[in-house]
Amino acid sequence: MTGRLPARLRGAAVRGARAAAFAGHYGVWFLHANAIVAREIVTPGSGLAPAVVGMRLRCRTPAEIALFAHLITLTPGTLVLEVRTEPPTLFVHGMHAADADRFLGELADLEDRLLTVLRSRQTRVPEEEEGDP
């Protein structure tokens, strides 16, 4: 025995580790969003800074797009308003999105982490295709 795992078992272990890392990241993001919304409810005044952003997606399959959209909508303070398939784009409302670029960055990070779990190899959207829909 060489001490190495068979390729299929090693691949499954890597995929499981990626899924666990994503679940942990999403759990922290989810709890943080809950805390922000709860604080907004119990404190006087309004800290709302709503924004609607269009996000060009790297997700390509209907399953990837649907899963990503559901993860966003499940998170308190965010809501997917529209899904376009050509080109793949989500329009997302954020309750606490004073800085739209930062909000888009957080969404892009979540998409990157999700695609790391779903795909064995990542393919990036070429630079000339990125940007506003």
Side-chain angles (χ1 to χ4, degrees):
M1 293 264 320
T2 62
R4 291 181 49 96
L5 294 173
R8 292 185 80 170
L9 186 56
R10 190 172 47 250
V14 168
R15 183 170 282 230
R18 287 178 182 166
F22 176 78
H25 174 76
Y26 183 76
V28 169
W29 195 51
F30 182 81
L31 292 174
H32 179 71
N34 273 287
I36 290 171
V37 171
R39 185 181 67 214
E40 183 66 37
I41 291 169
V42 298
T43 58
S46 177
L48 297 179
V52 174
V53 296
M55 180 185 177
R56 183 77 179 269
L57 296 176
R58 289 181 37 234
C59 296
R60 293 290 177 244
T61 67
E64 289 174 348
I65 294 169
L67 181 57
F68 184 55
H70 285 298
L71 288 170
I72 291 170
T73 299
L74 281 172
T75 306
T78 59
L79 177 67
V80 174
L81 301 174
E82 182 177 352
V83 178
R84 292 188 184 164
T85 56
E86 284 300 323
T89 307
L90 287 184
F91 290 91
V92 182
H93 176 271
M95 276 182 19
H96 301 280
D99 183 356
D101 290 332
R102 182 171 174 247
F103 183 53
L104 275 172
E106 291 172 354
L107 294 174
D109 179 58
L110 183 65
E111 180 186 31
D112 287 344
R113 291 170 185 266
L114 176 64
L115 292 179
T116 298
V117 173
L118 297 178
R119 297 178 181 172
S120 58
R121 278 194 248 149
Q122 299 248 348
T123 55
R124 291 228 169 250
V125 174
E127 289 296 321
E128 61 271 6
E129 289 184 14
E130 289 183 352
D132 291 339

